[in-house]
Amino acid sequence: AAPGVAGESPAAVLGIITGPDGARLPGATVSARLEGSEESVRAVSNSSGMYRLSDLRTGDYTLMALLSGFEPYTLTGLSVSAGVHRVVDMRMRVATISDIITVTGFSPRDSVEGARTRESSARDVGEALAEATGIHSLRKGGIASDVVLRGFQSKDLNVLIDGQRVYGACPNHMDPAPFHVDFAEVDRIEVAKGPFDINNQGSLGGVVNIVTKKAEPGLHGTGTLSTGSYGYINPSATLSFSRAPFSILGGYSYRRSDAYTDGSGKRFTEGLNFRPESLDSDAFRVGTIWGNVSFSPFAGHLAQFSYSHQQADHVLYPYLLMDAVYDDTNRLNAGYQVTGLAGLVRSVRIQAYFSRVDHWMTDEYRASSLSRPREYSMGTLAGTQALGGKIETMLRSVKVGVEAYHREWNAATSLAGAGYTPQYSIPDVGTDSFGLYSEYARSLSDRVRLSFGGRLDTVTTAADGARANSDLHYAYHSTRLTSKTNNYPSGNVRLSVTTSLGIQFTGGIGHTVRVPDARERYFGLKRMGTDWVGNPGLKPSRNTGLDGGVSFRREGLLVESNLYLNRIADYVTVIPQAKVNMVAGVMNGNARTYQNADARIYGGDILVSYLLSTRFFFSSDVSFVRGTRTTSPERGILTPNLAEIPPVRSRTTMRYDTGRVFAEVEAVFSGAQRNVDTLLGEAPTPGYGIANLKGGVNYRGASLRLGLNNLFGRQYVDYLSYQRDPFRSGARVYEPGRNWFLSLSYRF
Ligand SMILES: [Cu+2]
């Protein structure tokens, strides 16, 4: 048996975990969290499926059981009092795709267990998330996919790692936040869709929080070896030890692959000006090492510290004209929390973090670099760092928090045509953000819950005046501004009503704001043909969104549907623009730049999952989104469609699962996209359909997963999978052809 926490046991919860067929399930992680606090106790079910959580203080608990292949089991409001042992047996359902969940109603966040994403053959978190309803990924090559949440992406979303801001350094977004975390680090991913996050500044379209693993009681280890088509190899291992009051966890992972081939057998490097010797070179090599420690000096106190280092080398980006020679990440995160206090202040949580990313990209793997004085004809050295933190406290049931961070971002671009004189394309821009927020939720009755939240922010973006290319800004935008401060409120109200038939209605209205980033305001690069220029006068984007959902759960049936409408004032959009002022040294007449436009992003999704028997699951979802903007000829916005809005998509899976053995067949259909931004040269993209198979066996601590993707070897391309501009290669990056993957894992 795996005991909970050593020491006295004022109260305990224990029981047996079984699968849908009544078979006992070993290896499930069970946790009890004291409601209204972060305080929790965890244990793992033993070989007879039994678990025991001891050392619980009096209070109401949320009990949760997680096991790979099964739906998370949650029980709220479990009251525990001193000296009492409560028996709670849990029967878990086999997982469906719904595990990565929409958030509209109350818990501002739902979550997915990392094991579900690890069952996927995806190479990174961005790609894996696309298996969830309403989430797409934007492919750039073999790895480093961007997350697209209901049509919002990159700068319009917050993607956090353990609540920490980790930004990419690349001005072309080669290295988005989810690229900077390894799968093997991930415990679960929390996704909140829509303008309802007031805990973090800038969640215009939603927030994704990637939660990393922490040590479980006792000594545990996991070793995994994954491999697959195109020379993919991914060994990883973690080891952890926890005995109150100490915990320690460490891990390592390495991933590499060749360039994959599409359904026609063509490598993604072909036809894109790669040097002959680069055609078969590595598509990526990524090594990651991480560790975290925690210490509880007194009951209810917890100090935590984590560090992660990732080194990515030789990452090919067929959708761009350059590739990453290296991209190195350091993440530090420290926290101290006090929970379970009596009186007005119930808990206090302090977090401080630092992240830094260094990025070097060139065309040295491409023919464009041949016979140049240096090994490249163009290169960009970029770096970014974020230093920040939060103090959050629960005053009875009111959350009150302060968030502050400072981000620096710089990039210097050297072009052979300009004698390699560096141009400070991102001129050492500092972003200083300070915000206050508060959130409150209460039950008006057993069936009605209301929550509201509000936030005030002040954000300053300031470029280094000596490095900013103010001549370029003046030539296209008639301003030499290098600093701007914005102050604004945001907030939301949400309501959820559950009827006596078990139908839940949720609805909300929210308002969030996102301040233009360093690149959008202060970028400056003179190029052959057209310039690429920031717009220092950009205003913040302000999203007011409505969200309504209905969900219904009975026996084996689950139906969830949502409709949403976002009206975004001053959405930041990319446009081509002609020069407006003659300035010495600015030779080109045209640039790619950024402009505010009023936009609407609306859509909906529906998910149906049904348990046909205790072992057969059916699940199907459809999601659609549409994005438009108000045309404004005087601002250069001549066409109404927003760029990079994903087409309608549906995913249907049939799964057989006994808990020991599973097999799944999946069909994915994507509609054509004809609502394209012609101003950026977007072209309509046809729809496609593909089929995938996977299966696996769990035996004691060992598991084996085997999969075959794109069963019929279709040659197809996702609408999102090419770079519009700037620095586009013009290539559509086709998805992989028929490919297999195999993963062997052992855990103790
Ligand atoms: Cu880059």
Side-chain angles (χ1 to χ4, degrees), residues 690-706:
I690 57 159
N692 306 316
L693 282 180
K694 67 182 169 187
V697 187
N698 302 309
Y699 183 71
R700 296 183 184 263
S703 71
L704 180 144
R705 310 251 176 279
L706 185 64

Side-chain angles (χ1 to χ4, degrees), residues 386-700:
L387 174 67
K390 274 185 178 180
I391 301 173
E392 207 172 84
T393 171
M394 290 298 295
L395 303 176
R396 296 191 195 280
S397 51
V398 180
K399 185 199 280 179
V400 177
V402 180
E403 183 195 16
Y405 70 88
H406 172 76
R407 180 190 179 192
E408 276 173 43
W409 194 7
N410 60 72
T413 302
S414 306
L415 304 173
Y420 294 108
T421 308
Q423 295 187 59
Y424 295 105
S425 43
I426 297 181
D428 260 345
V429 181
T431 299
D432 286 288
S433 172
F434 181 80
L436 294 169
Y437 58 94
S438 180
E439 201 166 39
Y440 177 64
R442 68 167 295 166
S443 297
L444 301 179
S445 76
D446 285 355
R447 302 185 191 283
V448 183
R449 288 199 77 199
L450 178 71
S451 81
F452 37 94
R455 184 177 173 103
L456 286 170
D457 281 287
T458 178
V459 181
T460 299
T461 57
D464 178 344
R467 290 188 163 185
N469 197 331
S470 294
D471 283 354
L472 263 183
H473 299 151
Y474 188 78
Y476 290 95
H477 293 290
S478 304
T479 176
R480 293 178 179 275
L481 214 62
T482 55
S483 170
K484 202 169 169 76
T485 298
N486 299 103
N487 307 304
Y488 53 84
S490 43
N492 64 70
V493 181
R494 282 176 289 171
L495 183 73
S496 107
V497 179
T498 308
T499 70
S500 55
L501 294 171
I503 303 173
Q504 187 180 51
F505 296 92
T506 54
I509 180 163
H511 181 79
T512 51
V513 183
R514 196 272 293 184
V515 172
D517 69 18
R519 184 178 81 148
E520 293 164 324
R521 273 186 175 155
Y522 305 115
F523 202 83
L525 185 64
K526 292 193 269 188
R527 304 182 293 179
M528 293 286 287
T530 62
D531 297 316
W532 175 9
V533 188
N535 179 354
L538 282 178
K539 293 180 197 159
S541 303
R542 303 175 307 283
N543 183 5
T544 306
L546 280 172
D547 199 316
V550 183
S551 71
F552 174 77
R553 192 187 268 276
R554 175 169 293 176
E555 293 301 315
L557 177 69
L558 168 71
V559 181
E560 283 178 348
S561 67
N562 282 285
L563 286 173
Y564 56 89
L565 169 63
N566 298 291
R567 292 182 67 94
I568 309 130
D570 292 316
Y571 182 81
V572 177
T573 189
V574 177
I575 57 157
Q577 194 194 298
K579 190 161 64 180
V580 291
N581 297 306
M582 296 302 288
V583 179
V586 179
M587 319 300 282
N588 289 325
N590 291 285
R592 281 289 196 246
T593 188
Y594 305 88
Q595 193 53 275
N596 290 123
D598 292 338
R600 287 152 301 278
I601 296 180
Y602 56 92
D605 43 63
I606 182 162
L607 168 81
V608 177
S609 79
Y610 186 59
L611 184 64
L612 297 165
S613 76
T614 54
R615 294 174 171 199
F616 273 104
F617 270 83
F618 168 85
S619 166
S620 186
D621 74 356
V622 183
S623 56
F624 81 94
V625 56
R626 176 95 171 86
T628 63
R629 61 188 175 192
T630 306
T631 54
S632 163
E634 70 280 6
R635 280 200 266 180
I637 296 153
L638 307 173
T639 56
N641 290 322
L642 287 185
E644 300 188 72
I645 298 294
V648 62
R649 189 193 63 196
S650 129
R651 184 183 297 269
T652 301
T653 59
M654 186 71 159
R655 185 177 174 111
Y656 173 80
D657 200 321
T658 65
R660 182 143 289 172
V661 178
F662 81 91
E664 186 177 299
V665 54
E666 176 182 69
V668 182
F669 293 97
S670 174
Q673 181 58 286
R674 295 186 192 87
N675 299 312
V676 299
D677 179 1
T678 47
L679 200 62
L680 276 192
E682 280 196 323
T685 303
Y688 63 82
I690 57 159
N692 306 316
L693 282 180
K694 67 182 169 187
V697 187
N698 302 309
Y699 183 71
R700 296 183 184 263

Side-chain angles (χ1 to χ4, degrees), residues 169-175 317 320 322-324 327 359-362 380 382:
C170 179
N172 298 93
H173 226 257
M174 282 176 169
D175 57 345
Y317 290 87
L320 290 166
M322 293 191 273
D323 307 290
D327 186 279
H359 180 80
W360 170 234
M361 63 170 166
T362 71
T380 297

Side-chain angles (χ1 to χ4, degrees), residues 91 113 120 128 175 229 288 393 489 508 513 671 722:
R91 178 168 282 213
E113 190 198 356
S120 137
D175 57 345
S229 302
T288 314
T393 171
V513 183
Y722 72 99

